[in-house]
Amino acid sequence: LAELALLQVRARRRSAAQAAVDEALQLARDRGLESYALIGIVYAAEAVVRDLAGDEVGRQAAVAHFDALRPGLTYAMPYLSVHARLAVAGVHRAHGQWEAARTLLTEMAAILAKRPLLGRYVADVAALQRTVGDRRGGSPGATTLTMAELRLLPLLPTHLSFRGIGERLFLS
């Protein structure tokens, strides 16, 4: 449904895209899947659809949900991981959030280094890189933290010591 929503956006069918995203979100909620990394593509599609509708608050909420799931979108699922990041990076680019887009580009480059045979996504990432380039300015957006920082962040306010956090994250 998320893929269908993104295809509907490309075809300029905003209401059909919104309906597909709404259905995907409802299915995820009904099945308790909102915290699974695979649902990241749903939040990426939601961010694109909300942006298209001019819903600033909804777009920001969708990006925040995507960011929470982003660490789980790794090279183990390269197509999904790059595809979702491309969608959200496009939203950041549209709003001049260059640092956020660059952070996602860095993550996509790391995924492509391990899984270089992703067809058109290699060219899509290169095209986004050319568009974003070294631009500065704009707000940083919500995705300027790296995946490692995002994994660490929820553990900081817990009872765990730094040693305990390191053990939980399998770090020395």
Side-chain angles (χ1 to χ4, degrees):
L1 289 167
E3 293 290 348
L4 177 61
L6 292 171
L7 288 170
Q8 297 291 12
V9 166
R10 264 190 231 125
R12 294 185 163 86
R13 295 186 196 121
R14 188 169 43 138
S15 61
Q18 183 66 59
V21 163
D22 289 344
E23 187 177 350
L25 288 167
Q26 191 60 51
L27 283 169
R29 282 186 203 106
D30 290 349
R31 291 179 169 89
L33 300 174
E34 298 113 322
S35 62
Y36 284 81
L38 292 172
I39 302 301
I41 189 68
V42 175
Y43 291 117
E46 182 187 20
V48 171
V49 169
R50 300 254 185 226
D51 186 46
L52 191 61
D55 179 0
E56 179 72 18
V57 173
R59 175 184 63 84
Q60 289 177 351
V63 169
H65 282 115
F66 172 76
D67 285 342
L69 300 177
R70 211 173 83 218
L73 290 169
T74 67
Y75 69 90
M77 303 174 284
Y79 156 78
L80 188 68
S81 300
V82 171
H83 188 49
R85 281 178 175 85
L86 275 168
V88 174
V91 171
H92 287 311
R93 180 189 62 204
H95 290 274
Q97 297 172 330
W98 308 115
E99 293 303 318
R102 243 186 308 284
T103 297
L104 293 175
L105 276 166
T106 299
E107 293 172 4
M108 287 184 275
I111 292 167
L112 289 173
K114 291 184 182 271
R115 301 286 191 263
L117 303 175
L118 286 183
R120 75 176 182 99
Y121 292 106
V122 175
D124 290 350
V125 170
L128 181 64
Q129 179 64 49
R130 285 190 300 275
T131 302
V132 171
D134 291 330
R135 293 184 182 193
R136 299 281 179 234
S139 63
T143 60
T144 57
L145 295 176
T146 66
M147 286 191 296
E149 291 165 336
L150 286 169
R151 280 192 300 270
L152 171 68
L153 203 55
L155 298 175
L156 290 177
T158 66
H159 68 284
L160 295 172
S161 65
F162 287 141
R163 182 190 256 340
I165 290 172
E167 288 171 0
R168 176 84 47 99
L169 295 175
F170 304 102
L171 300 171
S172 60

